[in-house]
Amino acid sequence: MRLPPAILANTEEVLREILRFSAPADTTLSRYFKDHPRLGGRERGAIAEGVYAVLRNKSFFTDFAGSGNGMRRLAILGLAEAVGADSLGGLSDEETEFLARIKEIDRTLMPAQKRANLPDWLYEKFVAQYGEEETVTLAEALNQPAPLDLRVNSIKATRDDVMNELALAPITAEPMPFAPLGLRVHKKPSLQNLPLFKSGAIEVQDEGSQVLAQIVGAKRGEMVVDFCAGAGGKTLALGALMRNTGRLYAFDVSEKRLAKLKPRLARSGLSNVHPVQIAHERDVKIKRLAGKVDRVLVDAPCSGLGTLRRNPDVKWRQKPEAVTEMHDKQIAILDGAARLLKGGGRLVYATCSLLDEENNQVVEQFLAAHDDFELVPMSKVLAEQKIDLEMGDYLKLLPHKHQTDGFFAAVLERKKMVKPVAPAATEEADAEEE
């Protein structure tokens, strides 16, 4: 079934705005669709996938789109990649021939950087860290659309129950290998109207994100803090792991992000979650909890380069100097969050970045300045949680190896304070021994 010619014009129009990179692509698309209410679901899906195809393949497509009518050619290439050249209507003979020529190009024969479709600075950083061969493999995985992952809310349902109910929809889902409550859905069905979704029995959440929540190790009755809660995906996972007991604080500096948590929290059936807006990492609301918390999750603000399967515009919007600024911010946040922990308490520092300077380098710098903390090897933590993943000191999830978004995590434990024995007590003990 062919798309109407107007879809190509719509794609070109919104693409022109998105390639200015003045705002996230999903934000621009949402506003565009709101301004064009006559576009149906199929048309919106094609436009969005066409745009994302351009963002994933921008280096390659730009080289062949040429000047003059380049934006229309980019739109054509994106739509052809997303929905197939045969689905495009309104092409001239010249444009049909252009598409046929591009289709004949063997991309595997192109230079490594062109195949990677990454900006120069990021390609160089990846090569320095992973080597050229793995960088190309990683980049190719990042350039594929992400699957749809679900987390089953164990307060409301079991994984088997959800699988059976999805099958009636009919939606095919299979258990994930690492997340014990995770399901991977084939294709991308609409979930909003499903009773399972409305009742809070399922949430959309990448498997890597689910694993992060799992390694926090939150238990019944504990006091736990999600330090950078955002819209609360990991918060909800933690609350369920705590079996709706104890106290779980969801901190964030953004009122808008916390507002997105409220409807999800209402669906979830959790009553142990307390959303709290903070001004910064040293807010007085944080100081009140200093030394009282059992576990803290710091899903730190980062470059977001591990999410390129979902947000391919990030690689073009992100700048190297911003990564350096992020490092300093991450250290400050980690330092502030660490004050919350009691002796023996654990902190999980995590990012959705693939760069060492946002990951292990932050952890190493923190440990060098805090001798009251020690690193708990990730291999030990994963064994405790019965997660079948081979890791060393850190969790490093990669799309080409684990079929998740790119995630990093480290577990830090505050050493238990040894109380000094009072001199009088020592003398009494000595007297008793005599």
Side-chain angles (χ1 to χ4, degrees), residues 98-174:
F98 162 72
L99 260 184
R101 287 200 308 274
I102 300 298
K103 195 175 179 180
E104 288 174 4
I105 295 170
D106 185 350
R107 298 193 202 183
T108 62
L109 300 178
M110 295 170 65
Q113 186 168 355
K114 286 295 176 189
R115 280 160 52 208
N117 267 289
L118 295 169
D120 292 350
W121 71 271
L122 185 55
Y123 178 77
E124 288 164 10
K125 277 185 181 289
F126 278 179
V127 169
Q129 195 171 308
Y130 298 103
E132 185 175 89
E133 187 177 343
E134 188 170 7
T135 291
V136 172
T137 306
L138 169 61
E140 286 173 351
L142 288 169
N143 280 335
Q144 299 301 315
L148 178 61
D149 290 354
L150 304 178
R151 177 183 61 82
V152 175
N153 179 1
S154 57
I155 299 293
K156 301 237 174 169
T158 67
R159 187 157 69 170
D160 285 345
D161 289 342
V162 170
M163 282 178 68
N164 292 336
E165 195 164 333
L166 285 173
L168 298 174
I171 295 171
T172 305
E174 59 187 26

Side-chain angles (χ1 to χ4, degrees), residues 109-405:
L109 300 178
M110 295 170 65
Q113 186 168 355
K114 286 295 176 189
R115 280 160 52 208
N117 267 289
L118 295 169
D120 292 350
W121 71 271
L122 185 55
Y123 178 77
E124 288 164 10
K125 277 185 181 289
F126 278 179
V127 169
Q129 195 171 308
Y130 298 103
E132 185 175 89
E133 187 177 343
E134 188 170 7
T135 291
V136 172
T137 306
L138 169 61
E140 286 173 351
L142 288 169
N143 280 335
Q144 299 301 315
L148 178 61
D149 290 354
L150 304 178
R151 177 183 61 82
V152 175
N153 179 1
S154 57
I155 299 293
K156 301 237 174 169
T158 67
R159 187 157 69 170
D160 285 345
D161 289 342
V162 170
M163 282 178 68
N164 292 336
E165 195 164 333
L166 285 173
L168 298 174
I171 295 171
T172 305
E174 59 187 26
M176 293 174 180
F178 312 126
L181 293 167
L183 288 172
R184 182 153 292 155
V185 175
H186 300 289
K187 300 184 179 178
K188 292 194 177 177
S190 178
L191 300 173
Q192 273 75 2
N193 296 321
L194 286 179
L196 280 170
F197 184 81
K198 289 180 176 179
S199 69
I202 55 171
E203 280 283 340
V204 176
Q205 188 176 20
D206 182 80
E207 183 176 22
S209 178
Q210 294 183 48
V211 170
L212 287 189
Q214 194 79 25
I215 63 175
V216 174
K219 296 175 183 172
R220 289 173 179 265
E222 289 187 331
M223 188 180 290
V224 179
V225 171
D226 187 351
F227 202 77
C228 307
K234 297 179 191 71
T235 309
L236 298 176
L238 289 170
L241 288 168
M242 294 166 71
R243 303 305 299 167
N244 210 9
T245 65
R247 288 181 77 81
L248 172 56
Y249 291 96
F251 288 159
D252 205 274
V253 295
S254 169
E255 183 181 5
K256 192 174 179 181
R257 284 197 292 266
L258 285 176
K260 290 180 180 177
L261 167 60
K262 288 182 180 177
R264 301 174 77 187
L265 184 55
R267 284 198 308 270
S268 73
L270 295 173
S271 57
N272 64 337
V273 178
H274 305 274
V276 180
Q277 187 184 356
I278 56 174
H280 44 71
E281 66 272 6
R282 292 183 178 272
D283 193 304
V284 67
K285 295 169 189 170
I286 298 169
K287 289 182 180 178
R288 290 186 191 130
L289 294 174
K292 299 177 181 177
V293 176
D294 296 288
R295 297 172 196 270
V296 179
L297 171 61
V298 178
D299 184 13
C302 68
S303 62
L305 293 166
T307 68
L308 294 185
R309 300 186 308 168
R310 301 173 197 281
N311 308 301
D313 57 312
V314 167
K315 62 184 171 184
W316 308 113
R317 289 195 299 112
Q318 198 57 267
K319 297 289 183 283
E321 53 271 19
V323 174
T324 305
E325 290 169 14
M326 282 288 184
H327 174 91
D328 297 337
K329 188 175 185 179
Q330 288 151 355
I331 287 287
I333 289 171
L334 185 50
D335 188 58
R339 297 165 186 266
L340 293 169
L341 285 172
K342 60 172 66 168
R346 283 188 179 182
L347 182 152
V348 174
Y349 171 78
T351 75
C352 53
S353 173
L354 296 163
L355 298 176
D356 285 346
E357 59 207 272
E358 296 187 85
N359 296 337
N360 36 301
Q361 288 179 20
V362 170
V363 173
E364 288 155 13
Q365 187 173 331
F366 173 83
L367 287 171
H370 296 80
D371 57 7
D372 55 333
F373 277 83
E374 61 187 355
L375 183 72
V376 182
M378 189 56 65
S379 53
K380 178 185 175 184
V381 177
L382 292 168
E384 289 171 355
Q385 294 300 320
K386 298 181 173 60
I387 298 174
D388 187 18
L389 267 169
E390 290 291 326
M391 294 285 162
D393 284 345
Y394 303 117
L395 181 78
K396 293 185 177 182
L397 295 174
L398 297 164
H400 64 296
K401 290 183 177 178
H402 308 106
Q403 287 72 56
T404 66
D405 284 347

